Amino acid sequence: MTDSKAINLVMLVDDNDTDNFISKRIIEITKFANEVEVKNSGKKALDYLRENENDVNKVPNLIFLDINMPIVDGFVFLYEFEKFNDNLKDKCKVIILSSSDNKRDIDKIVNNNYVIKFITKPLTEHALSEIKLASI
């Protein structure tokens, strides 16, 4: 990716450490974002957002969110995300990054007001290029 306008902060929310490692490496190699925050559960991601919701430097520009996680899955995360202040919700865009092919789940989650895109795992350079082109 040759675009010099890197996104400041991206958060990966996935309980699969291998998927997080691959996604983080792709983001780093392509220089898609200046910083990557990795959370291996929806609860840890929500805690991070609660702790930093008033710090514009620590609020991610993009969250790559898995659907299928134990305890706090993608649906619960989005339900809780709706409770954050408008400044955080306006800055933070959510992209679903999932291996789920359950059409009902996909339809339900992409109709959420805060979800801007659905990407099937693994994250690729091509997918990141499409996100950049969409000026997200």
Side-chain angles (χ1 to χ4, degrees):
M1 214 174 289
T2 57
D3 187 354
S4 60
K5 270 181 27 185
I7 289 166
N8 186 47
L9 177 60
V10 167
M11 180 185 285
L12 300 173
V13 184
D14 195 328
D15 62 316
N16 185 311
D17 292 334
T18 302
D19 288 338
N20 281 330
F21 176 80
I22 292 167
S23 296
K24 184 176 183 190
R25 288 296 296 144
I26 290 289
I27 290 167
E28 291 170 343
I29 289 167
T30 60
K31 297 180 177 26
F32 179 79
N34 295 327
E35 191 177 345
V36 180
E37 185 73 37
V38 178
K39 299 297 176 193
N40 63 2
S41 76
K43 181 187 180 324
K44 287 181 181 174
L46 289 167
D47 290 345
Y48 174 91
L49 292 174
R50 281 186 197 103
E51 290 166 16
N52 297 290
E53 73 178 303
N54 295 313
D55 185 343
V56 291
N57 296 318
K58 292 191 175 184
V59 172
N61 304 95
L62 282 177
I63 297 175
F64 288 95
L65 176 67
D66 188 23
I67 296 174
N68 298 315
M69 296 181 287
I71 305 166
V72 177
D73 64 10
F75 298 105
V76 173
F77 177 92
L78 288 168
Y79 176 78
E80 293 296 323
F81 184 82
E82 290 179 21
K83 298 176 183 177
F84 284 104
N85 68 49
D86 288 339
N87 290 337
L88 182 138
K89 292 185 293 191
D90 290 343
K91 180 181 179 190
C92 212
K93 307 297 182 205
V94 180
I95 295 174
I96 301 303
L97 179 61
S98 182
S99 56
S100 175
D101 58 0
N102 181 322
K103 183 165 173 25
R104 202 176 94 220
D105 280 354
I106 294 168
D107 288 346
K108 181 177 170 186
I109 211 153
V110 296
N111 287 325
N112 182 288
N113 293 335
Y114 302 104
V115 173
I116 58 169
K117 190 168 181 65
F118 182 96
I119 299 173
T120 303
K121 288 182 188 177
L123 188 59
T124 63
E125 185 174 353
H126 178 74
L128 291 176
S129 294
E130 286 183 350
I131 293 166
K132 271 278 175 108
L133 287 174
S135 300
I136 293 170

